[in-house]
Amino acid sequence: MTGKLRADARRNRERILAAAEAVFAEHGASASTEEVAARAEVAIGTVFRHFPTKNDLLGATLKRLLDRLAEEAAVLSDEGDPATALFTFFAQVVEEAAARRTVAELLAGGGVDVRVGKPLRRLEEPLATLLTRAQQAGTVREDVRLDEVMALLAGTTQAALLTGWTPDLRDRTLRIIFDGCRPGR
Amino acid sequence: MTGKLRADARRNRERILAAAEAVFAEHGASASTEEVAARAEVAIGTVFRHFPTKNDLLGATLKRLLDRLAEEAAVLSDEGDPATALFTFFAQVVEEAAARRTVAELLAGGGVDVRVGKPLRRLEEPLATLLTRAQQAGTVREDVRLDEVMALLAGTTQAALLTGWTPDLRDRTLRIIFDGCRPGR
Amino acid sequence: MTGKLRADARRNRERILAAAEAVFAEHGASASTEEVAARAEVAIGTVFRHFPTKNDLLGATLKRLLDRLAEEAAVLSDEGDPATALFTFFAQVVEEAAARRTVAELLAGGGVDVRVGKPLRRLEEPLATLLTRAQQAGTVREDVRLDEVMALLAGTTQAALLTGWTPDLRDRTLRIIFDGCRPGR
Amino acid sequence: MTGKLRADARRNRERILAAAEAVFAEHGASASTEEVAARAEVAIGTVFRHFPTKNDLLGATLKRLLDRLAEEAAVLSDEGDPATALFTFFAQVVEEAAARRTVAELLAGGGVDVRVGKPLRRLEEPLATLLTRAQQAGTVREDVRLDEVMALLAGTTQAALLTGWTPDLRDRTLRIIFDGCRPGR
DNA sequence: TATGAATGAGCTTTCATTCAT
DNA sequence: TATGAATGAAAGCTCATTCAT
């Protein structure tokens, strides 16, 4: 898909996406496209050649983030301990959200009219696997379903943006959620 | 504070806040000030006389919402069953968030630079009371602290804005959180 | 309609229209709205408050021009010699077109998507009167119809923009058209 | 002039001109160069290699159209009835204008700063011949000069773009012009 | 004090033109 | 020579904020 681009075009596309990620992480999705262009050291027209609309840019940035997360989930699926991989992944996503505002904003629908539907679905599959494994390992109740896990993930991800968020608070918050997922009581 | 205002001025202030609540609930915090003025049937200048900045308007709207919530919490403190009052209140807030986008947006910091610090503190006190009572009643673990309850509240409140949010999903999500708060395992 | 505007608003509206007429007359309909604002010594936002779209501005400018022309036609209807009033008016319009590019551009449909339909109709009525009078006076053939007069007017108006257009050329051009309208051979 | 070009270069030049004619005919002179490139199935850079400026492209397109018209005029000069050839040609040009927006737009100077001077002169010579013949044949008044014929042609050509233009309207419009050219009253 | 017009910076988007590949 | 990505100067338009009435 991006393989047909000329070398410099692909390079610019990458620069723009990286810049977008940084800018949106810092100032949220309402940051200006112009700032993204500046950070990428590219003219404004170049941004619009690659992403005809600000929404397209946001969408691509989100897709990139989710792809990265999905990959991490897949790795955990393959190599991690089934009993804890779901929790590990959950914690990882929350951790990243604390660092990058966009993750949280977009996981939660973001106010912006990004059709998150599609990209978010990328996360569902690996997450479903992790959930099933955890249930088979007996660390998560049988009746827990994928959608509430995603809802809790989206929610905690937002919480991670709160002003008082610290590693300690994070641990205590996650503990409640993880405990709530465990069987027996 | 508002006592020094002329009668009509106070009336306008009220109209504007009510309109702001409705507009921000519908279109999020990015809705235009002009639309608030229109809904309040007031000229734009009047809005800015009462709230010199859009942020001030958002802040006041938030304060109003939180005051209402704090009051409900207080009532539950006095009249409700200590064992369940915290959970009841938590669910109430989430419910309201599902209906009013602002509650969620602002509880979570909302992208907008509202100094939520102050207003949010209003919720802390009654929530702390509810938490203590629940712990005394033995329905919440002793080591659960106020800040994680607030974080979970803010987070779930955001989750309630997700596209797939249904009463059923809400119940399953809350169940995990509430179970996670319970003592013993 | 414009009567409800505040004094300064009406003044600005007038300034803007006058500026628009001048600017469009000079550089054609493709002139920038910003230049109109500059000429009117008004901020760009003010132009858009009065005319939400560039098309609206063009439309209003055209309407203004046509109203003026229609008025002249009406005066000629009342006071002029029926035998020559049509020709006099025709020549006047052409004369104005030579001075103001917009008249011609817009009479001819102008490339721009101005809904000329409406405003142009304003010219039809007085022109129809002049035509009828001329036919009654015997200076125009009975079977000449309004639409070809308008077509010739629009066309000549365009011709008046040609680089070589001089008073002499104008007279010779109009002579052909007027002669062609006369009865008997 | 085009003889020094490589075969494929000449072929491209042709394709571009053909595309430009089609595109400008459809959307007027404000159509984008990119669209011309697309229609010619050529990269945008190629268009600019052949025509360094959009104006150059418009000019070349116009020249091509006028050459074609001039040729038709020449044919009529040689083979047609001198008494009617001028009128026939006039009607032909108007007919073509109705079909191709560019003819009209460019004959009239077109808003765009094409130096029509040069290309238009190509039409003058054959038109002058037709005019002289008609005058010799006695169908056109002796004192009619070339420039007013050209002005009328440019004007009618514009009128042919009007919304209500029909074959019937065209005939009535041309009749007035042609009658106006005839000698004797 | 209320009004609502004016301001003007900033946003997204388009397009003729340039230039590395 | 052809390609098509990059450029960057506008353009049209929005909106928080100011200020004359």
Side-chain angles (χ1 to χ4, degrees):
Chain A
M1 183 158 283
T2 59
K4 311 196 168 191
L5 289 176
R6 232 166 61 183
D8 57 341
R10 190 159 61 249
R11 194 164 51 244
N12 271 339
R13 205 192 128 92
E14 231 4 82
R15 288 170 69 93
I16 292 168
L17 277 176
E21 206 177 304
V23 169
F24 291 144
E26 226 171 288
H27 305 101
S30 75
S32 87
T33 308
E34 200 117 15
E35 193 175 342
V36 173
R39 170 92 63 125
E41 284 176 313
V42 143
I44 183 71
T46 304
V47 174
F48 278 91
R49 157 167 283 267
H50 287 282
F51 310 97
T53 274
K54 188 185 178 183
N55 246 320
D56 294 335
L57 179 56
L58 278 168
T61 304
L62 173 60
K63 187 169 164 304
R64 202 167 175 251
L65 284 166
L66 292 178
D67 279 352
R68 208 144 62 216
L69 293 176
E71 213 169 317
E72 290 175 21
V75 169
L76 278 172
S77 267
D78 290 351
E79 307 175 1
D81 172 9
T84 58
L86 175 65
F87 297 153
T88 305
F89 178 63
F90 198 113
Q92 259 177 25
V93 174
V94 171
E95 195 55 27
E96 186 143 351
R100 300 169 184 281
R101 170 169 284 275
T102 338
V103 183
E105 248 181 26
L106 293 182
L107 269 183
V112 198
D113 163 51
V114 192
R115 282 291 151 259
V116 206
K118 281 292 167 42
L120 249 193
R121 208 130 299 160
R122 285 162 185 276
L123 215 50
E124 279 184 358
E125 206 185 274
L127 208 54
T129 307
L130 290 173
L131 174 58
T132 308
R133 300 257 164 104
Q135 290 173 322
Q136 287 168 344
T139 37
V140 166
R141 240 175 20 221
E142 285 295 333
D143 60 351
V144 166
R145 301 228 298 265
L146 182 59
D147 56 355
E148 66 234 54
V149 175
M150 300 249 345
L152 284 164
L153 189 56
T156 317
T157 258
Q158 282 288 338
L161 299 178
L162 287 174
T163 338
W165 192 254
T166 60
D168 181 49
L169 173 54
R170 177 198 61 205
D171 291 342
R172 283 181 282 120
T173 305
L174 289 179
R175 183 188 163 188
I176 291 181
I177 293 175
F178 295 168
D179 276 0
C181 290
R182 295 219 169 78
R185 257 298 88 191
Chain B
M1 180 159 284
T2 59
K4 312 197 168 188
L5 291 175
R6 250 167 48 182
D8 56 341
R10 192 160 60 250
R11 195 163 53 245
N12 270 343
R13 207 191 126 89
E14 236 355 88
R15 288 169 69 92
I16 292 168
L17 277 177
E21 203 177 307
V23 168
F24 292 145
E26 227 172 288
H27 305 101
S30 74
S32 86
T33 311
E34 199 112 18
E35 195 174 341
V36 172
R39 173 90 64 123
E41 285 176 314
V42 142
I44 184 70
T46 305
V47 174
F48 275 89
R49 162 165 289 270
H50 287 284
F51 309 96
T53 275
K54 189 187 177 181
N55 246 319
D56 294 335
L57 179 56
L58 277 167
T61 305
L62 174 59
K63 184 168 166 306
R64 205 167 174 252
L65 282 167
L66 291 178
D67 281 352
R68 208 146 60 218
L69 292 176
E71 212 169 318
E72 288 175 22
V75 170
L76 276 172
S77 267
D78 291 351
E79 307 175 2
D81 173 7
T84 57
L86 175 65
F87 297 154
T88 304
F89 178 62
F90 197 115
Q92 260 177 25
V93 174
V94 171
E95 196 56 26
E96 186 143 352
R100 299 171 183 280
R101 170 168 285 275
T102 340
V103 183
E105 248 180 26
L106 294 183
L107 269 182
V112 197
D113 163 51
V114 193
R115 282 290 153 258
V116 208
K118 282 292 168 41
L120 249 192
R121 208 130 299 161
R122 284 163 187 275
L123 214 49
E124 281 184 358
E125 204 184 277
L127 207 56
T129 308
L130 290 173
L131 175 58
T132 307
R133 300 257 164 106
Q135 289 173 324
Q136 288 168 346
T139 38
V140 166
R141 237 172 24 219
E142 283 297 335
D143 58 353
V144 166
R145 300 230 295 269
L146 180 59
D147 56 356
E148 67 234 53
V149 175
M150 300 251 342
L152 285 165
L153 189 56
T156 316
T157 254
Q158 280 288 336
L161 299 179
L162 287 174
T163 338
W165 191 255
T166 60
D168 182 47
L169 174 54
R170 177 199 61 204
D171 291 342
R172 282 182 282 123
T173 304
L174 289 180
R175 184 189 161 187
I176 290 180
I177 293 174
F178 295 168
D179 276 0
C181 291
R182 294 218 170 76
R185 270 282 89 201
Chain C
M1 182 158 284
T2 58
K4 313 199 165 187
L5 289 176
R6 230 164 65 180
D8 57 342
R10 189 160 61 251
R11 193 165 52 244
N12 272 339
R13 205 192 127 93
E14 232 2 84
R15 287 170 71 92
I16 291 168
L17 277 177
E21 205 176 305
V23 169
F24 291 144
E26 227 172 286
H27 304 101
S30 74
S32 87
T33 309
E34 201 114 17
E35 192 174 344
V36 173
R39 171 92 63 125
E41 285 176 314
V42 142
I44 183 69
T46 304
V47 175
F48 279 93
R49 157 169 283 268
H50 287 283
F51 310 97
T53 276
K54 189 187 177 180
N55 246 320
D56 294 336
L57 179 57
L58 277 167
T61 305
L62 172 60
K63 187 170 165 303
R64 202 165 175 255
L65 283 166
L66 292 178
D67 280 352
R68 208 144 63 216
L69 293 176
E71 213 170 317
E72 290 174 21
V75 170
L76 277 172
S77 266
D78 290 352
E79 307 176 1
D81 172 7
T84 58
L86 175 66
F87 297 152
T88 305
F89 178 62
F90 198 113
Q92 261 176 24
V93 174
V94 171
E95 195 55 26
E96 184 142 355
R100 300 169 184 279
R101 170 169 284 274
T102 337
V103 183
E105 250 181 24
L106 293 183
L107 270 183
V112 199
D113 162 50
V114 193
R115 283 291 151 256
V116 205
K118 282 293 168 41
L120 248 192
R121 208 130 298 161
R122 283 162 187 276
L123 215 50
E124 281 184 0
E125 207 186 275
L127 207 54
T129 308
L130 290 173
L131 174 57
T132 307
R133 301 256 163 104
Q135 289 173 322
Q136 288 168 345
T139 38
V140 166
R141 237 173 24 221
E142 286 295 334
D143 59 353
V144 166
R145 300 230 294 268
L146 181 60
D147 55 355
E148 68 235 52
V149 175
M150 299 250 344
L152 284 164
L153 187 56
T156 316
T157 256
Q158 281 289 337
L161 300 178
L162 285 174
T163 339
W165 191 255
T166 60
D168 182 48
L169 172 53
R170 176 199 62 205
D171 291 343
R172 283 181 282 120
T173 304
L174 289 179
R175 184 188 163 189
I176 292 180
I177 292 174
F178 295 167
D179 276 1
C181 290
R182 296 221 168 75
R185 273 278 91 200
Chain D
M1 181 157 284
T2 59
K4 312 197 168 187
L5 292 175
R6 250 168 46 181
D8 56 341
R10 192 161 59 251
R11 197 164 49 246
N12 271 342
R13 208 193 125 90
E14 235 356 89
R15 289 169 69 92
I16 292 167
L17 276 176
E21 203 176 307
V23 168
F24 291 145
E26 228 171 287
H27 305 101
S30 74
S32 86
T33 312
E34 200 110 20
E35 194 174 343
V36 173
R39 172 91 65 126
E41 285 175 316
V42 142
I44 183 72
T46 304
V47 174
F48 276 89
R49 164 166 289 269
H50 287 284
F51 309 96
T53 276
K54 189 187 177 180
N55 246 321
D56 295 335
L57 179 56
L58 278 167
T61 305
L62 174 60
K63 184 170 167 303
R64 203 165 174 254
L65 283 167
L66 291 179
D67 280 352
R68 210 146 60 219
L69 293 175
E71 211 170 318
E72 289 176 22
V75 169
L76 277 171
S77 266
D78 291 352
E79 307 175 1
D81 172 8
T84 58
L86 175 65
F87 297 154
T88 305
F89 178 63
F90 197 113
Q92 258 176 26
V93 175
V94 171
E95 195 57 26
E96 186 145 352
R100 301 172 182 279
R101 169 167 286 275
T102 338
V103 183
E105 250 180 24
L106 294 182
L107 269 182
V112 198
D113 162 52
V114 193
R115 283 290 152 257
V116 208
K118 284 289 168 43
L120 249 192
R121 208 130 298 162
R122 284 163 186 275
L123 214 49
E124 282 184 357
E125 205 185 277
L127 207 54
T129 309
L130 290 174
L131 174 57
T132 308
R133 301 258 164 103
Q135 290 172 324
Q136 289 167 346
T139 38
V140 166
R141 241 175 19 222
E142 285 295 335
D143 59 353
V144 166
R145 300 230 297 268
L146 181 59
D147 56 356
E148 66 234 55
V149 175
M150 299 253 340
L152 285 165
L153 188 55
T156 317
T157 254
Q158 280 289 334
L161 299 178
L162 287 174
T163 338
W165 192 254
T166 60
D168 182 48
L169 173 54
R170 177 199 60 205
D171 291 343
R172 282 182 281 122
T173 304
L174 289 179
R175 184 189 161 186
I176 291 180
I177 293 174
F178 296 167
D179 276 2
C181 291
R182 297 221 168 74
R185 264 293 97 189

